[in-house]
Amino acid sequence: MTITRVSFIDVYVLRKRGEQVEALVLRRGGAGRCPGSWETVHGSIEADEKPVAAALRELMEETGLDPVRFYNLSRVETFYRHLVDEVALIPVFVAWVAPEASVRLGSEHDQFEWLNLADARARFAWPRERRALDDIEILVGRGDAGPLEDVLRVK
């Protein structure tokens, strides 16, 4: 029987350079899944781990970055994992980092770039990542969540 569970997280990493908002895009290395594809921070939720904790852990593991502000995007993606017959639910987060923050790639990725949102949208391999950027622009694209700050800000 097909199961449904919260299995993964997505984290979109943003910075402001002057008035320009840039998103971090990561290229998958050759040893794992989807080699050469560009994506956002993505990872599994470990046993007894809450999605927020998993998102912050994966952000650190994959990029070495610690956010100055961290948001729940109020969006949950779905992905059918046919090999294990699971519908995975994927809570989505946004991490704002300092403009001068240094990226330190983990073992899953071999390259990164900071791109404006339009170029990041074009680079991402997964359509869900492109669609999430629309919500990001609307909800936190100014650098905060405006009147929704009290509900969406995690850290």
Side-chain angles (χ1 to χ4, degrees), residues 5-75:
R5 69 183 186 105
V6 180
S7 303
F8 304 102
I9 53 79
D10 284 343
V11 181
Y12 294 82
V13 184
L14 305 178
R15 71 178 184 184
K16 256 193 167 176
R17 304 275 291 189
E19 292 303 307
Q20 179 77 40
V21 174
E22 295 178 327
L24 181 66
V25 297
L26 307 170
R27 189 176 74 177
R28 301 276 317 167
R33 67 166 175 80
C34 306
S37 66
W38 291 86
E39 64 182 14
T40 191
V41 172
H42 181 76
S44 298
I45 299 172
E46 295 177 355
D48 298 323
E49 188 176 41
K50 294 189 183 297
V52 168
L56 290 167
R57 176 184 51 74
E58 288 287 348
L59 176 64
M60 182 57 72
E61 288 176 6
E62 294 187 14
T63 68
L65 295 169
D66 183 30
V68 294
R69 286 184 312 287
F70 194 69
Y71 292 91
N72 165 12
L73 195 58
S74 186
R75 179 184 184 99

Side-chain angles (χ1 to χ4, degrees), residues 4-5 14 17 26 49 51 53 61 80 84 86 96 108 113 117 135-136 140 146 151:
T4 302
R5 69 183 186 105
L14 305 178
R17 304 275 291 189
L26 307 170
E49 188 176 41
E61 288 176 6
Y80 177 63
V84 294
E86 173 189 276
W96 283 94
E108 297 174 33
E113 288 188 48
L117 296 185
D135 285 359
I136 287 169
V140 297
V151 173

Side-chain angles (χ1 to χ4, degrees), residues 88-123:
L89 301 176
I90 308 167
V92 180
F93 299 92
V94 176
W96 283 94
V97 300
E100 68 280 357
S102 296
V103 175
R104 179 184 36 81
L105 290 178
S107 60
E108 297 174 33
H109 302 98
D110 63 6
Q111 190 174 338
F112 74 90
E113 288 188 48
W114 287 102
L115 300 174
N116 66 50
L117 296 185
D119 290 341
R121 203 177 269 108
R123 184 74 60 91

